[in-house]
Amino acid sequence: MAIKITDECINCGACEPECPNNAIYEGAVDWKASEGTELKGTVTLTSGLTVDADAPQEPVSDDVYFIVTDKCTECKGFHEEPQCAAVCPVDCCVPDEDHVETEEALLNKKSILTRRIKTAVSYIMRRFFIY
């Protein structure tokens, strides 16, 4: 299940830099599917929303930091626990019961968001390093 930020958020910003998928945004700030991911062109997100990856999307919240569910993988494949929850001083990063996903689905989402990054790293490793 994705993580959400509750209204108890104090807008400290501790969570935002911890997200490996750049799924966390400051309140009232537009977000883009391409930010922190390798998504390009027209994409259909896991929610079914089809967007231009570089087009600004409306903020989920105007008052507090928010998490874009379509980009949240609960840090699966990156960390043992969601990093936003680990650093939040007021414990307002909690499981979003409206967006329940299996671990397999979260890992699949991670691979979609980072597919081209892995391909590029693999190419560079093969091209420039002997291993």
Side-chain angles (χ1 to χ4, degrees):
M1 109 181 25
I3 304 297
K4 68 178 178 180
I5 298 176
T6 67
D7 291 338
E8 287 80 35
C9 175
I10 59 172
N11 289 313
C12 70
C15 57
E16 186 178 21
E18 299 302 319
C19 181
N21 296 315
N22 201 25
I24 302 174
Y25 293 84
E26 188 174 355
V29 172
D30 290 346
W31 63 275
K32 295 178 184 177
S34 62
E35 292 174 330
T37 72
E38 287 298 310
L39 298 177
K40 305 252 187 265
T42 302
V43 295
T44 300
L45 303 172
T46 55
S47 66
L49 178 67
T50 299
V51 299
D52 176 341
D54 292 319
Q57 304 299 313
E58 290 190 26
V60 174
S61 172
D62 287 333
D63 301 319
V64 296
Y65 278 79
F66 62 89
I67 297 175
V68 176
T69 304
D70 283 312
K71 294 174 70 177
C72 178
T73 62
E74 294 181 35
C75 296
K76 296 289 184 191
F78 293 106
H79 304 286
E80 293 296 315
E81 64 181 336
Q83 295 301 285
C84 56
V87 300
C88 181
V90 293
D91 297 325
C92 68
C93 297
V94 298
D96 185 348
E97 296 177 2
D98 291 334
H99 297 98
V100 177
E101 297 172 276
T102 64
E103 183 170 350
E104 180 181 351
L106 292 167
L107 289 170
N108 183 53
K109 186 190 304 185
K110 175 196 176 278
S111 73
I112 291 167
L113 294 172
T114 61
R115 180 171 293 133
R116 290 186 183 105
I117 291 173
K118 285 192 275 187
T119 301
V121 169
S122 177
Y123 170 78
I124 290 168
M125 292 298 289
R126 284 191 317 252
R127 178 85 167 94
F128 298 104
F129 300 99
I130 297 173
Y131 61 99

